[in-house]
Amino acid sequence: MLNLADLSRLKGFRFPRSVIGYAVWAYHRFALSLRDVEDLLAARGITVSYETIRDWVTRFGSQFAAKIRRDRPRPADKWHLDEVVVPIKGRKHWLWRAVDANGDVLDILVQSRRNKDAAKRFFRKLFRRWGEPRVLITDKLRSYAAAKSEIAPGIEHRQHKGINNLAEASHRHTRRREKIMGRFKSPGQAQRFLSVHDQTAALFRPKRHRLSAKSYRHARAAAFEIWRDYTDDLAA
């Protein structure tokens, strides 16, 4: 992942691509603060400030996320949707998240409302990127049914809190990172961070409990290779 022999650089940047790619990966792959990533790099003989790492994460994270989404296979045709409150500067915001039947996050949207219009915006974002699923599974929030009846009446819709555990479980990593970051500072920051974080998780968190040790190692090695290719393609 971190190749100190690779000295290829982006125009205007002092550090090699591999260092930038490693920093972005470490920050989003693990529950680390920017200062933690600074220490990881220092342990490898690379002196860089956490503010520089923040700039890398902000500038290049979206490029990695876009490439992961572009290359992902089509998701399963049964989707689980859920929304959870995210406090930002004393105000309630809602994180809408969709996962497929395999537990892979499809997309997220941070909004200030939890009504029909908010559900419609989330549906449109999902359908524009992935097409329409066969089945939608949600909790009993009435906004889902109202929005679906207008946008996609032909999709089967199942509303039951007990069968939506996949979507609800997907929020755990968000809560962990939210605590480390001292809460999100703005809706835009939450949207940018979680969009990259969830896509990185989709690439580097194969369902380990379903794989043999050998298969998991192969999947991990393939993910590292993909990330290296994405790092080589970064644009300043």
Side-chain angles (χ1 to χ4, degrees):
M1 177 68 71
L2 179 58
N3 182 8
L4 296 180
D6 178 10
L7 299 179
S8 64
R9 288 174 169 80
L10 288 160
K11 185 176 180 180
F13 287 82
R14 181 163 63 95
F15 289 90
R17 290 172 183 265
S18 65
V19 173
I20 295 173
Y22 178 84
V24 176
W25 169 77
Y27 182 66
H28 284 288
R29 173 62 183 87
F30 304 106
L32 301 175
S33 69
L34 293 166
R35 293 179 188 272
D36 291 334
V37 179
E38 178 185 351
D39 288 344
L40 281 178
L41 291 172
R44 289 157 176 79
I46 302 167
T47 302
V48 57
S49 73
Y50 74 92
E51 290 291 356
T52 297
I53 296 169
R54 187 199 308 277
D55 181 59
W56 293 346
V57 167
T58 302
R59 186 185 296 256
F60 298 111
S62 59
Q63 291 189 39
F64 283 105
K67 289 177 170 63
I68 294 171
R69 278 193 295 266
R70 179 196 66 195
D71 295 340
R72 282 180 63 180
R74 184 172 178 80
D77 63 359
K78 183 189 296 183
W79 298 356
H80 298 250
L81 279 66
D82 193 46
E83 73 294 332
V84 65
V85 66
V86 178
I88 300 176
K89 290 188 175 179
R91 291 188 56 198
K92 274 188 179 182
H93 287 73
W94 297 91
L95 169 62
W96 299 70
R97 179 180 271 124
V99 304
D100 70 4
N102 297 317
D104 294 325
V105 176
L106 302 176
D107 215 335
I108 62 102
L109 186 61
V110 178
Q111 304 190 80
S112 60
R113 295 288 185 269
R114 191 184 178 224
N115 55 19
K116 183 180 76 171
D117 288 339
K120 286 167 67 174
R121 277 192 292 273
F122 190 41
F123 282 158
R124 289 192 181 104
K125 190 171 192 280
L126 286 169
F127 298 162
R128 188 165 55 245
R129 178 162 286 156
W130 300 110
E132 294 185 3
R134 179 179 58 86
V135 179
L136 283 175
I137 298 175
T138 70
D139 58 23
K140 294 188 176 182
L141 180 68
R142 287 181 291 180
S143 301
Y144 285 118
K148 189 203 77 73
S149 66
E150 291 187 14
I151 293 179
I155 297 176
E156 181 183 347
H157 185 200
R158 304 174 189 171
Q159 286 188 285
H160 191 286
K161 189 172 181 62
I163 60 175
N164 204 30
N165 290 335
L166 276 177
E168 293 169 1
S170 70
H171 297 310
R172 287 180 300 180
H173 297 297
T174 299
R175 291 304 192 202
R176 188 178 306 136
R177 292 309 300 259
E178 188 181 19
K179 182 177 180 180
I180 290 171
M181 297 168 73
R183 297 194 182 279
F184 297 112
K185 306 301 186 292
S186 70
Q189 183 217 16
Q191 181 70 38
R192 286 190 300 272
F193 171 80
L194 293 171
S195 293
V196 182
H197 180 265
D198 284 352
Q199 294 305 313
T200 305
L203 179 61
F204 283 98
R205 289 193 186 121
K207 303 302 177 285
R208 191 167 189 169
H209 62 285
R210 301 178 186 173
L211 302 175
S212 66
K214 183 177 181 180
S215 296
Y216 175 75
R217 287 193 292 269
H218 280 306
R220 182 175 58 191
F224 284 148
E225 185 63 33
I226 290 169
W227 194 268
R228 280 191 290 269
D229 289 342
Y230 292 162
T231 300
D232 291 341
D233 288 339
L234 287 178

